[in-house]
Amino acid sequence: MFSKRYIAGEKLEDAVTVSKQLAMKGVSSTIDHLGEYVTEIKMAKQVQRIYLEMIDRFEQEDLSVTYSVKPSNFGLLTDFETCFELVREVVEKARGYDSFVRIDMEDSSCVDAELELYQRLHAIYPQNVGIVIQAYLKRTPKDLLFLEKLHSEASPVNVRLCKGIYVEPEEIAFKDRKEISQQYVKALRFLLEKGIYVGIATHDRSLTDMAQQLIKQYAIGSEKYEFQMLYGVTPELRSELVRAGHKMRVYVPYGKEWFGYSSRRLKENPKMISYIIKALFKRG
Ligand code: FDA
């Protein structure tokens, strides 16, 4: 099945197994339970239960794991206050283990609410929650200034920087690959200059090369950044970065709702079909 390459499996134990395998290669994980856009609070509460159980399970292991949540899964666009409370309890649980929850950034209809969610959670749990910034959005420089205002030594902001995966209209998002890369580098420079912790989330070699140059140029210590990649994507580049001494975290999704996640990955990369065929033959 195509999804096998990108998804740990359907069960929590599959994610535990994959995280252990990654840990043996010197790679940390961030765990995501698949699913998006829950409109009933009853379902959002079920999602929360899955996360609470997940955290308890992972924390029994000696793994450097964090957790990634999609707020739309917690009813973000249906009932913000309930979503806030549900996610807050997940962060509270993670804080109990001195761990960390990243709020994924979803499509543009969610960005304002997700930044607000982050601002409020960061005020309560400054060490245990992070946000994502999408370089392709034209609003990103403004959002970075907003995050800079929240940042201090006592309340450090923690950002995952990615290109952005959703199909957005031209009025709000850059479309051209070169332009998106330029925006990415600008945002990365900003975060490094301001001393804001950054998860450099990309498989684009030109960007990982540039990031390594900037890290050197600004003499950024390993306590201020890590590289991040998706499970199943560019494992060779991932190993190279680990060998070069950089911290690496892999996004490990698991669960039954693999279709939306996998088909986004396929659409994103038209070359995928050749990767899939190669992988099929390799395993064959
Ligand atoms: P790009 O798409 O240019 O890919 C660079 C190279 O990587 C390709 O040429 C190919 O070799 C390889 N590659 C890329 N995708 C591949 C695939 N599917 N299979 C095989 N090879 C592939 N987005 C978002 O909107 N919100 C979020 O919260 C997140 N979170 C997130 C976490 C992490 C850890 C990562 C790495 C990414 C995200 N993203 C995301 C996705 C991100 O926005 C972006 O869409 C993808 O990372 C693809 O962009 P790249 O920077 O990798 O470059």
Side-chain angles (χ1 to χ4, degrees):
M1 191 177 8
F2 294 170
S3 58
K4 266 202 174 153
R5 175 173 170 160
Y6 298 112
I7 290 163
E10 292 195 352
K11 300 195 178 71
L12 174 55
E13 286 312 309
D14 297 327
V16 174
T17 303
V18 164
S19 295
K20 284 183 180 169
Q21 288 164 352
L22 288 167
M24 286 195 308
K25 295 178 185 161
V27 174
S28 308
S29 306
T30 184
I31 315 298
D32 167 63
H33 183 261
L34 292 166
E36 282 164 76
Y37 299 101
V38 160
T39 49
E40 283 175 43
I41 292 306
K42 200 172 76 191
M43 282 167 76
K45 286 185 176 161
Q46 270 173 28
V47 173
Q48 190 211 37
R49 266 199 300 280
I50 291 170
Y51 268 88
L52 296 177
E53 202 184 299
M54 178 204 297
I55 296 173
D56 278 333
R57 173 65 189 93
F58 267 98
E59 298 299 331
Q60 289 169 23
E61 303 289 337
D62 185 20
L63 291 167
S64 169
V65 163
T66 62
Y67 308 92
S68 287
V69 296
K70 288 197 171 52
S72 71
N73 230 343
F74 290 77
L76 181 82
L77 298 179
T78 306
D79 178 347
F80 181 85
E81 285 307 321
T82 305
C83 169
F84 168 76
E85 192 48 28
L86 292 173
V87 178
R88 190 196 64 71
E89 286 167 7
V90 171
V91 180
E92 173 73 43
K93 166 74 83 182
R95 190 195 46 171
Y97 292 110
D98 205 14
S99 190
F100 184 87
V101 176
R102 171 89 53 197
I103 299 170
D104 283 355
M105 191 57 84
E106 300 178 83
D107 68 75
S108 55
S109 68
C110 299
V111 175
D112 281 329
E114 288 176 350
L115 285 171
E116 187 183 340
L117 190 66
Y118 174 66
Q119 180 180 19
R120 285 175 57 180
L121 289 168
H122 175 258
I124 315 171
Y125 307 105
Q127 307 286 347
N128 309 94
V129 66
I131 186 72
V132 177
I133 285 289
Q134 298 158 322
Y136 68 1
L137 287 185
K138 293 183 178 170
R139 59 178 286 169
T140 280
K142 189 171 77 48
D143 292 340
L144 286 172
L145 291 174
F146 166 76
L147 292 176
E148 186 199 358
K149 287 207 187 90
L150 302 183
H151 177 69
S152 69
E153 218 169 289
S155 284
V157 162
N158 187 315
V159 172
R160 172 196 296 150
L161 179 63
C162 65
K163 286 185 182 172
I165 202 168
Y166 300 89
V167 180
E168 300 287 2
E170 210 168 339
E171 303 83 69
I172 62 163
F174 293 102
K175 294 284 180 191
D176 178 62
R177 280 180 61 86
K178 221 167 139 193
E179 217 160 7
I180 296 170
S181 291
Q182 282 166 357
Q183 295 305 313
Y184 192 103
V185 174
K186 251 196 224 167
L188 180 58
R189 238 181 230 284
F190 179 88
L191 292 163
L192 295 175
E193 277 171 3
K194 302 295 173 191
I196 295 175
Y197 191 99
V198 56
I200 306 164
T202 181
H203 319 92
D204 184 333
R205 186 180 283 278
S206 66
L207 289 181
T208 58
D209 284 353
M210 175 56 84
Q212 289 184 93
Q213 272 179 37
L214 291 175
I215 287 161
K216 216 167 168 187
Q217 182 188 334
Y218 294 124
I220 305 292
S222 64
E223 74 290 352
K224 285 291 184 194
Y225 76 95
E226 65 189 26
F227 283 93
Q228 297 187 352
M229 292 190 180
L230 301 173
Y231 180 58
V233 181
T234 58
E236 302 79 17
L237 179 57
R238 185 176 84 200
S239 304
E240 273 177 44
L241 289 165
V242 173
R243 277 198 301 275
H246 300 291
K247 283 192 290 179
M248 173 65 71
R249 186 174 302 279
V250 164
Y251 189 99
V252 177
Y254 81 96
K256 292 201 171 94
E257 288 187 44
W258 52 269
F259 184 74
Y261 183 84
S262 300
S263 54
R264 266 209 307 276
R265 306 257 98 64
L266 294 171
K267 270 189 221 139
E268 182 178 282
N269 186 359
K271 281 195 243 152
M272 255 317 289
I273 196 70
S274 70
Y275 293 126
I276 289 165
I277 291 167
K278 267 190 213 154
L280 285 178
F281 275 106
K282 238 193 233 168
R283 281 183 201 128

